[in-house]
Amino acid sequence: QVQLVESGGGLVQAGGSLRLSCAASGRTFSSYGMGWFRQAPGKQREFVAGFRRSDGNTYYADSVKGRFTISRDNAKKTVYLQMNSLKPEDTAVYYCAADVSNIYYWGQGTQVTVSS
């Protein structure tokens, strides 16, 4: 069982920045595929950014490329999402996810609200 706890959400003006954190449990964090997803009101959950488990490469949704950066600190068992140049359309609940040998775990989510 892997537990994920997100933090760092909040209210920010358009053009501002936030950094989300996701702390994970488990002894082999460095082998986990990790990612961030988001869900806006009335919309489906969508992929934002992630590390591919097979090769560790990062990949991003087109809507956040050049603005968001995913990173990880394996010693701290934490993955981060640095969000810059935020837009009102980035408003959503952001979820951290872990791919542990094709078993997927989710955090509880953290609210990000971007005001115009």
Side-chain angles (χ1 to χ4, degrees):
Q1 188 79 5
V2 173
Q3 293 185 328
L4 304 171
V5 179
E6 301 101 332
S7 61
L11 173 64
V12 64
Q13 288 188 332
S17 298
L18 283 175
R19 189 177 81 154
L20 306 183
S21 300
C22 172
S25 65
R27 293 186 295 176
T28 58
F29 174 79
S30 60
S31 69
Y32 300 170
M34 297 296 300
W36 289 94
F37 292 74
R38 67 187 181 186
Q39 187 167 18
K43 295 187 177 181
Q44 290 188 330
R45 191 172 298 188
E46 64 176 2
F47 168 77
V48 176
F51 286 94
R52 187 176 291 115
R53 185 170 59 89
S54 59
D55 57 16
N57 287 337
T58 57
Y59 52 117
Y60 297 89
D62 287 343
S63 59
V64 307
K65 279 181 182 176
R67 300 188 299 122
F68 291 10
T69 302
I70 189 170
S71 61
R72 66 192 297 166
D73 185 332
N74 289 333
K76 295 183 178 179
K77 298 182 182 179
T78 300
V79 65
Y80 304 96
L81 185 68
Q82 178 65 45
M83 304 185 295
N84 299 328
S85 302
L86 282 161
K87 304 175 181 180
E89 51 264 43
D90 294 318
T91 295
V93 177
Y94 283 71
Y95 296 91
C96 176
D99 170 7
V100 183
S101 299
N102 291 326
I103 299 173
Y104 296 89
Y105 298 89
W106 295 89
Q108 82 288 351
T110 185
Q111 177 70 45
V112 171
T113 302
V114 184
S115 63
S116 57

